[in-house]
Amino acid sequence: MSQNKDFYAVLGVPASASQDEVKKQYRKLAARHHPDKNRSDPKAAERFKEISEAYQVLGDAERRKQYDDMRRLGAFGGFGGGPRGGRAGARGAGGAGGFPPGGGFRFEEVDLGGLGGLGDIFSSMFGGAGRARPREPERGQDVEVTLEVPFRTAVAGGKVNIDLEVNEECAVCKGSGAAPGAKLSPCAECGGRGTVSFGQGGFAVQRPCPQCLGRGQVPSERCATCNGTGDVRAHRKIAVTVPSGADTGTKIRLRGQGGRGSRSGPPGDLIINFLVQPDRFYKREGVDLVARVPINIAQATLGSRVNVKTIDGKKVSIRIPAGTPSGKRFRVRAQGVKKGAQIGDLIIEVEIIVPEHLTEEQEKMMKEFAEAGGLRY
């Protein structure tokens, strides 16, 4: 979790916002700042990452509750009603790390077991305190992305390719960060623990050591391929199956396609939110499809027949009765969206088009028609 970052401010919602309001705002921001839509803006990817990070916490009710508990206790800029801000310090696990004499607060010096499970909250959010980080395999993070889907693909179902830029384990060093043949020794910064004490305004938590990246060991020579990080950025193309009837807000989970695990742990999942693009002819009303069909005054007045294509390319013939007003709707059964056991209808909405220009003969005929109805010009 990012230090001192207000996730509510990142999403632009108040702390009292409902889960639905948080989700709605996230989708709005994700669509606006998606890197694929802002290729000329180098900051778009970072902004999109911040939005996704905030939603991963606030979009989950349990994690949001933990985050709110931390905010109430001042974990993001002062503890309780204490001073806010202050110089941040980072030292080895045994040091005081930049705290005022007599005024520092350290997790490792306090028993959190009697604070109603607050110790578990701190442990789950900051990776534990006062103890070396476990060396066991850890599951990778879930990655949530927004995928734009063509309207007709969303209705009928199909496949859409998505390009992801993800962290992959470095194939040269196998994630150790060490060059081939390099020796590993305990990290001098954290004493081999993998964590350091991070202080802010008299408040301290344990964070992964920036020197050894939480491994507890540093190599005599860094891997040249990944510069010692243990992972590399890679592009991955995934074919996503879009279920028929998908709509904006539909979400699917692809197991094992998320962030890589650490220490040979299993990868996380890829969560895809669909954002359906509009269509020039159809729009959706639930499982019904609505198509606006233009007709002229003569067709509306005298009656006519019009041919309309369904979403799967078939033609249906609709009879327009004499005297049909603009906006009148006609329903074609079972030609709408198929979603599970539901099958919607195709709704034809006629729109009377008034000509902008008339020939002299057409104008004369229109005046005669109007006069026959009692109108004078």
Side-chain angles (χ1 to χ4, degrees):
M1 180 174 293
S2 300
Q3 183 73 9
N4 291 333
K5 183 174 291 185
D6 187 342
F7 288 149
Y8 289 105
V10 171
L11 292 183
V13 296
S16 59
S18 66
Q19 290 298 117
D20 286 341
E21 289 171 334
V22 169
K23 183 184 295 185
K24 182 178 180 181
Q25 179 69 357
Y26 162 71
R27 290 173 179 165
K28 177 181 176 182
L29 294 176
R32 182 189 305 167
H33 297 283
H34 196 283
D36 289 344
K37 278 190 171 183
N38 301 272
R39 296 182 184 276
S40 61
D41 184 2
K43 296 183 179 179
E46 185 61 30
R47 174 64 176 148
F48 185 79
K49 180 180 178 181
E50 289 181 353
I51 293 168
S52 299
E53 179 187 18
Y55 183 68
Q56 284 180 3
V57 175
L58 300 186
D60 183 279
E62 183 62 28
R63 296 184 70 185
R64 180 180 179 181
K65 179 180 181 300
Q66 295 177 352
Y67 177 74
D68 288 342
D69 288 338
M70 295 290 286
R71 288 178 90 240
R72 279 193 291 272
L73 289 173
F76 306 104
F79 189 83
R84 305 180 71 86
R87 185 177 68 85
R91 290 177 56 185
F99 299 102
F105 182 89
R106 298 178 60 82
F107 288 157
E108 55 265 45
E109 297 171 358
V110 178
D111 181 8
L112 298 176
L115 295 182
L118 190 57
D120 292 338
I121 293 175
F122 286 134
S123 178
S124 67
M125 297 183 75
F126 292 100
R131 297 184 301 272
R133 302 188 73 188
R135 315 309 295 174
E136 299 175 357
E138 292 183 3
R139 180 181 181 273
Q141 286 189 337
D142 291 342
V143 177
E144 189 161 356
V145 298
T146 298
L147 175 62
E148 292 189 355
V149 180
F151 184 91
R152 302 188 185 210
T153 302
V155 170
K159 288 187 179 295
V160 176
N161 290 328
I162 182 172
D163 288 314
L164 291 179
E165 188 176 4
V166 296
N167 283 340
E168 298 281 5
E169 184 176 83
C170 177
V172 176
C173 66
K174 306 300 183 184
S176 70
K183 294 182 178 180
L184 295 174
S185 57
C187 176
E189 182 73 15
C190 64
R193 296 167 59 89
T195 59
V196 293
S197 178
F198 187 91
Q200 180 76 22
F203 183 81
V205 294
Q206 295 287 323
R207 305 289 285 173
C209 175
Q211 183 67 27
C212 64
L213 304 180
R215 300 189 188 99
Q217 294 180 314
V218 292
S220 58
E221 182 182 353
R222 292 182 178 182
C223 174
T225 302
C226 64
N227 197 31
T229 62
D231 53 35
V232 293
R233 297 294 284 175
H235 288 275
R236 185 194 304 167
K237 179 170 287 189
I238 299 174
V240 178
T241 299
V242 181
S244 62
D247 203 352
T248 293
T250 298
K251 184 181 293 189
I252 63 172
R253 179 185 292 266
L254 301 181
R255 302 289 182 183
Q257 296 290 341
R260 73 176 184 89
S262 60
R263 294 184 286 277
S264 300
D269 299 336
L270 175 62
I271 302 168
I272 299 177
N273 291 302
F274 291 131
L275 179 64
V276 179
Q277 298 171 334
D279 188 79
R280 61 180 181 83
F281 186 63
Y282 298 104
K283 66 178 182 178
R284 280 184 66 168
E285 292 183 359
V287 291
D288 291 334
L289 290 175
V290 179
R292 298 190 72 179
V293 177
I295 62 174
N296 58 42
I297 294 176
Q299 288 176 299
T301 303
L302 303 176
S304 178
R305 276 194 172 273
V306 296
N307 293 324
V308 181
K309 278 190 176 182
T310 62
I311 193 73
D312 56 3
K314 298 177 182 177
K315 285 185 178 180
V316 293
S317 181
I318 303 296
R319 187 178 70 84
I320 307 298
T324 295
S326 188
K328 177 73 174 179
R329 288 186 165 193
F330 302 88
R331 186 177 293 269
V332 182
R333 299 290 179 183
Q335 291 298 324
V337 179
K338 296 179 181 179
K339 188 174 183 179
Q342 291 182 292
I343 302 178
D345 300 331
L346 173 61
I347 299 172
I348 309 299
E349 182 177 299
V350 298
E351 179 183 13
I352 298 176
I353 304 300
V354 178
E356 296 182 3
H357 304 287
L358 296 173
T359 65
E360 290 185 6
E361 182 67 20
Q362 289 171 334
E363 185 175 352
K364 178 182 176 181
M365 295 175 65
M366 288 296 291
K367 286 181 178 180
E368 291 175 353
F369 175 77
E371 290 171 356
L375 296 176
R376 299 293 178 184
Y377 292 90

